[in-house]
Amino acid sequence: MQRRDAAALAEHARAVVLEQARSAIAERGAFRIALAGGSTPRVLYRMLAASEAEFARWHVYFGDERAVPPEHDDSNYRMAREAWLGSGLVPQTQVHRMRGELGAGSAAAQYERELVESFGSREVPRFDLVLLGMGADGHTASLFPGTTALVETRLFVASTWVEKLSANRITLTLRTLNAARQALFLVAGADKAPALREVLHAREDGPHLPAALVRPWEGALMWLVDSAAASALAST
Ligand code: 6PG
């Protein structure tokens, strides 16, 4: 776990993403990344838009989405398009958005099919990198405490009602997140400090906040956090 201020957080994350991309392209000829939504990654996406990389070999997916159309203010795709993907650096046919406008259930089913088709396998898709944020309640992607998506063990993508938001969401499931070659959490803000402490100090016998359940089975897990989010951790 590394403490950074917000700008340094994004810069470090950019270096990690670009290195993971170089490695994936060298080994497998392509780089498959799932993006986080929310606000924290916006600076990182802007930095990627200004970076040199073999974007023609990148395939960009989403870790979760709101059940809204792509032009909606709440759309995670819209945020990433405005910050980076609208530049066209990644071929549009290689940007796989969750179609929130279909409604959560249909969008999740469609995305499951799209993952199978684009990964060319019915096995659980192994992303080279999954970018994740964390909410103050310890949720990640749209895996919120107490929701059905959190306990989904068969599907790669699930739709889920989130009571606290009174909204439906679409999200990659833990089965998919934990199949990743690397999971990278970007967490910033003092409001995240209590949850971050609980997640990083989680006891084996639980209970666990959703973010604490992301432990790639055969992959790396990295947390990049700013000093405010780390303020409740023992000083290291
Ligand atoms: C979403 C995100 C969500 C986000 C956290 C943190 O759709 O909202 O995927 O999991 O990463 O809520 O959001 P912030 O970066 O805005 O704090």
Side-chain angles (χ1 to χ4, degrees):
M1 194 279 298
Q2 309 205 22
R3 301 175 187 228
R4 297 266 185 255
D5 67 29
L9 189 76
E11 181 49 47
H12 192 119
R14 185 178 78 102
V16 171
V17 171
L18 294 179
E19 178 48 37
Q20 191 70 355
R22 275 190 290 271
S23 167
I25 290 167
E27 291 173 24
R28 290 175 294 280
F31 174 52
R32 298 182 189 278
I33 180 174
L35 301 186
S39 57
T40 303
R42 185 180 286 117
V43 175
L44 166 60
Y45 299 159
R46 287 187 182 132
M47 286 182 171
L48 288 174
S51 301
E52 289 293 321
E54 214 175 342
F55 288 116
R57 292 181 178 264
W58 288 39
H59 294 255
V60 176
Y61 302 78
F62 287 80
D64 71 320
E65 187 55 278
R66 291 79 182 277
V68 296
E71 64 278 1
H72 192 285
D73 285 350
D74 291 348
S75 166
N76 287 334
Y77 168 77
R78 175 175 171 177
M79 184 273 281
R81 187 192 67 219
E82 291 176 347
W84 169 29
L85 299 175
S87 65
L89 288 167
V90 178
Q92 195 54 37
T93 55
Q94 293 169 207
V95 176
H96 306 267
R97 73 175 181 89
M98 293 176 167
R99 300 183 183 287
E101 68 275 18
L102 300 176
S106 300
Q110 186 277 333
Y111 210 66
E112 184 105 2
R113 293 192 296 273
E114 184 156 346
L115 288 177
V116 169
E117 184 181 341
S118 69
F119 276 77
S121 166
R122 292 192 176 282
E123 295 298 313
V124 62
R126 285 206 75 194
F127 286 97
D128 296 302
L129 181 60
V130 177
L131 285 176
L132 293 166
M134 187 188 72
D137 61 356
H139 82 262
T140 189
S142 282
L143 299 169
F144 286 79
T147 56
T148 54
L150 195 56
V151 293
E152 171 58 53
T153 56
R154 185 176 55 84
L155 297 172
F156 306 152
V157 189
S159 61
T160 188
W161 172 254
V162 182
E163 185 60 35
K164 70 180 290 188
L165 302 175
S166 296
N168 281 304
R169 290 282 189 97
I170 305 109
T171 186
L172 296 184
T173 57
L174 282 170
R175 182 182 182 201
T176 305
L177 298 182
N178 284 329
R181 291 185 173 84
Q182 177 163 13
L184 173 59
F185 277 93
L186 299 182
V187 183
D191 61 319
K192 313 291 178 72
L196 186 65
R197 176 180 174 78
E198 186 173 340
V199 166
L200 295 184
H201 294 179
R203 297 188 4 207
E204 275 310 306
D205 56 354
H208 294 116
L209 291 176
L213 299 173
V214 176
R215 295 177 180 166
W217 297 309
E218 293 179 15
L221 173 62
M222 179 184 280
W223 289 81
L224 286 179
V225 304
D226 75 353
S227 300
S231 58
L233 300 180
S235 57
T236 48

